[in-house]
Amino acid sequence: MEADRSFGFVWVLLLLLGITAATGREVCLGTDMKLALPSSLENHYEMLRLLYTGCQVVHGNLEITHLQGTPDLSFLQGIVEVQGYVLIAHVSVRSVPLDNLRIIRGSQLYNSSYALAVHDNIHLIQVGLGLRELRLRSLTEILLGGVYIWGNPQLCFPRNINWEDTVTKVQNKPLHLEDIPKNCPLCSSACGSGGCWGETNQDCQILTSVQCSSGCLRCKGPKPNDCCHVQCAAGCTGPKDSDCLACRHFNDSGTCKDNCPPPTIYDPITFQSKPNKDKKFSFGATCVKQCPHNYLAMEVACTMVCPKANKEVITVEPDGLETQKCEKCEGECPKVCYGLGMGNLQGVTVVDATNIGMFVGCDKIYGSLAFLSDSFKVNAVSNSTGLQLSDLEKLKSIQEITGYLYIDAWPDYLDDLSVFENLKVIRGRMLYKGVLSLGVQSLQIESLGLRSLRSVSGGLVLIHNNSRLCYSSSLPWNSLLHPAQGPNLIRSNNQDQQTCVSQGRICDPLCADAGCWGPGPSQCVSCVNYKRGTECVEQCNVLQGSVREFVDGFNCVPCHPECQPVNGSASCTGPGPDQCKECMHFQDGDVCVERCPSGVKEDQHTVWKYFNATRHCLPCETNCTVSCPLDDRGCPIQQKTGFVHLSATSETEGGGLK
Ligand SMILES: *[C@@H]1O[C@H](CO)[C@@H](O)[C@H](O)[C@H]1NC(C)=O
Ligand SMILES: *[C@@H]1O[C@H](CO)[C@@H](O)[C@H](O)[C@H]1NC(C)=O
Ligand SMILES: *[C@@H]1O[C@H](CO)[C@@H](O)[C@H](O)[C@H]1NC(C)=O
Ligand SMILES: *[C@@H]1O[C@H](CO)[C@@H](O)[C@H](O)[C@H]1NC(C)=O
């Protein structure tokens, strides 16, 4: 493990600050891993910790899997709402402390049926270890989907829970519940005849439905005036739509509503609809004034992916803030390059020889790219060879990926990922397994080589088990990862820093402290001194070199080719032909030129110039039309021969006239 983790934690806090600003509560994304283990066991715990520390509302699914021993799970205690499903599987910890979870909305379901699935929570080797209690003591509402609790031989609690109260009054909610083992402790006597989530007095099931007086969905007690407002889910503290424990539909600054304030309202005076200055977007089950960072605004909602027949538009508001939104296309949408998971690559999970052609020449990929071992395998069925270097080089033009970039297989003959050397932004609007925006695992690369990468806007970054990888510890990950969305970094089991140093695989001395993406002066994040093109250099060629340069900030920029290199001082003051100290050929006014203009049409007349002894271009005294002969200064006058061959002589003389 390397030291980046504490760092990650700081970014979690910033992440939460960012989304909190929009919603009033800490929102996190949730995951889409199901039972998969995308990295090592240690990293899995670390991912969960980074994802849920400080989180109150999980926007997607809460998947708690692959936990063993006695890890600190207190980071789960803040979670109050889950938008998708809750999955607890393959964990052998004693208890999962989701003490404050009130509502599971079930907008996505596990195995298309379940909002809460708790299965196979047993230690495969150590007999007797396994999940013992599910401390869901605040859970009083599951809006959609059923409950599956199976394959947990140690699970004593929940005990005697009345699920009818939680999954209310909706048909076809499957319940698959196993019997609890014998020899389990009873519920506390404080629970009376009711069920419980654990042994203590605080673990008794709170009923908010079955005992209500008739006609109300949720109540805080059995009396008629204990009824909750119809907009409440889970329960309430009083009768109003602002007294709910959770909102059935949308939370508009603490009041539960059917809809968020719409973009237009009806004006009863003019009988027309007019823009609503108080309009809000729906973001999950919350109404927000502005979509959070990295989300696209639609007419009434915030989204990560624009719907069909829409395009992404980035506008800069008068106050300088950038908003990204989806706009209906007029007619056909402009052609874009789709990546995995989008357009005609929907459902495709790997880049291979059959689809790499779709990325040729693209600078922005709408979607994701994943390189797995299948990418490089010969496929007899589709008769395709695995990806070759010549295929990968077609990716060089890519500058932006709206989804993720995930790589866990790569040709051994490549030392880096430099086919992505022009990639600037990974937006992370789609994430690998719902978690990673950038994943680089188990490769033989020696450096990342992503020298243009400046921003990873969402998700987690994982750099793991690349046994030869150096340089990556030097990088300024905190500025690469967008602070508001706070993607976090897990960097583990790569080449250790000491070995890298002893092998001399460290940043070039011309790189500044900010680090580098690989060896040599062209992989620096920033330069100690100056930069020429993509390469750091000690100094610019101001006074020497065949191409003379001037210094623009910290960049070396070549003088115009018409500037004459001079000795002892700078040859130019800027990039233009009017910024030379001396001209290479001729000087026309302030500008260095290869030839003096002659017979050049300008506005209504034709310009004729000759050059003098100091090679300045001077206007001829007489203008004339094209075919008039010239005098001995190369100016057109009456009745002289020689005009035709003059272009030949002028070449040898340096090109005064054509
Ligand atoms: C989910 O569905 C798959 C295939 O349909 C099945 O094999 C698996 O047992 C199901 N799991 C649960 C928890 O129902
Ligand atoms: C509604 O959101 C606010 C934050 O804006 C939060 O404090 C409150 O608890 C939420 N209310 C419900 C019922 O979810
Ligand atoms: C597979 O490709 C090879 C050459 O690329 C070709 O000769 C062969 O006929 C192809 N086979 C099939 C089944 O398409
Ligand atoms: C680490 O990477 C190597 C390949 O370099 C691979 O064989 C091994 O399975 C990986 N280990 C883990 C734990 O992913």
Side-chain angles (χ1 to χ4, degrees), residues 189-236:
S189 59
C191 304
S193 61
C196 63
W197 297 97
E199 287 175 66
T200 73
N201 294 354
Q202 287 84 51
D203 291 318
C204 302
Q205 182 181 18
I206 302 161
L207 296 175
T208 65
S209 172
V210 290
Q211 52 155 20
C212 297
S213 109
S214 70
C216 58
L217 282 173
R218 293 278 167 200
C219 61
K220 67 185 173 81
K223 296 191 290 277
N225 64 359
D226 285 336
C227 276
C228 298
H229 193 277
V230 64
Q231 286 296 340
C232 293
C236 60

Side-chain angles (χ1 to χ4, degrees), residues 357-380:
M358 300 184 59
F359 311 123
V360 177
C362 297
D363 57 359
K364 179 168 178 174
I365 300 286
Y366 288 80
S368 304
L369 298 177
F371 296 85
L372 316 174
S373 59
D374 279 353
S375 305
F376 301 97
K377 274 194 195 125
V378 178
N379 185 333

Side-chain angles (χ1 to χ4, degrees), residues 110-111 114 117 119-120 148 150:
Y110 184 64
N111 259 24
Y114 303 109
H119 72 86
D120 299 303
Y148 181 92
W150 212 261

Side-chain angles (χ1 to χ4, degrees), residues 406-649:
Y406 179 79
I407 306 175
D408 71 16
W410 200 243
D412 284 348
Y413 56 80
L414 290 180
D415 288 337
D416 55 38
L417 307 176
S418 64
V419 299
F420 292 110
E421 68 180 11
N422 293 312
L423 178 63
K424 294 191 180 111
V425 181
I426 299 173
R427 299 232 178 250
R429 294 215 190 99
M430 299 163 83
L431 300 172
Y432 181 72
K433 303 281 179 201
V435 186
L436 302 177
S437 47
L438 172 62
V440 178
Q441 281 202 97
S442 305
L443 307 186
Q444 296 301 312
I445 55 170
E446 297 188 359
S447 66
L448 291 170
L450 302 172
R451 66 176 178 200
S452 301
L453 190 63
R454 289 291 175 272
S455 165
V456 183
S457 322
L460 299 188
V461 173
L462 174 72
I463 316 271
H464 171 67
N465 188 34
N466 306 287
S467 58
R468 300 168 65 198
L469 179 64
C470 288
Y471 310 99
S472 72
S473 61
S474 71
L475 287 162
W477 289 102
N478 54 346
S479 62
L480 284 168
L481 310 180
H482 193 290
Q485 180 65 9
N488 298 286
L489 175 67
I490 298 177
R491 219 162 43 79
S492 52
N493 300 70
N494 302 301
Q495 181 67 278
D496 73 89
Q497 181 62 13
Q498 264 183 338
T499 311
C500 292
V501 171
S502 71
Q503 295 174 343
R505 298 201 293 132
I506 51 171
C507 293
D508 193 275
L510 290 172
C511 296
D513 291 343
C516 65
W517 292 96
S522 66
Q523 295 292 327
C524 307
V525 172
S526 60
C527 302
V528 174
N529 304 305
Y530 300 99
K531 191 167 194 170
R532 176 181 301 128
T534 54
E535 194 169 315
C536 293
V537 292
E538 210 150 324
Q539 54 183 349
C540 299
N541 291 329
V542 175
L543 300 177
Q544 75 292 319
S546 57
V547 177
R548 297 292 168 83
E549 295 168 331
F550 69 98
V551 180
D552 179 12
F554 294 100
N555 290 306
C556 303
V557 183
C559 293
H560 193 274
E562 281 303 315
C563 297
Q564 171 76 35
V566 293
N567 288 330
S569 81
S571 301
C572 67
T573 57
D578 57 339
Q579 290 168 304
C580 306
K581 183 93 183 276
E582 286 173 24
C583 291
M584 180 81 96
H585 299 108
F586 301 97
Q587 184 173 348
D588 183 14
D590 291 339
V591 182
C592 293
V593 292
E594 197 181 351
R595 294 157 199 275
C596 290
S598 134
V600 176
K601 289 231 161 29
E602 229 174 57
D603 297 331
Q604 301 303 320
H605 63 288
T606 305
V607 178
W608 297 91
K609 291 188 180 174
Y610 71 100
F611 59 87
N612 64 9
T614 59
R615 298 197 294 171
H616 285 75
C617 303
L618 299 171
C620 302
E621 277 160 30
T622 322
N623 273 339
C624 85
T625 48
V626 176
S627 61
C628 58
L630 308 167
D631 70 2
D632 53 356
R633 307 179 102 183
C635 283
I637 54 159
Q638 301 291 312
Q639 301 303 325
K640 258 199 167 182
T641 55
F643 180 71
V644 183
H645 75 255
L646 194 95
S647 60
T649 39

Side-chain angles (χ1 to χ4, degrees), residues 153 333 356:
C333 285
I356 190 138

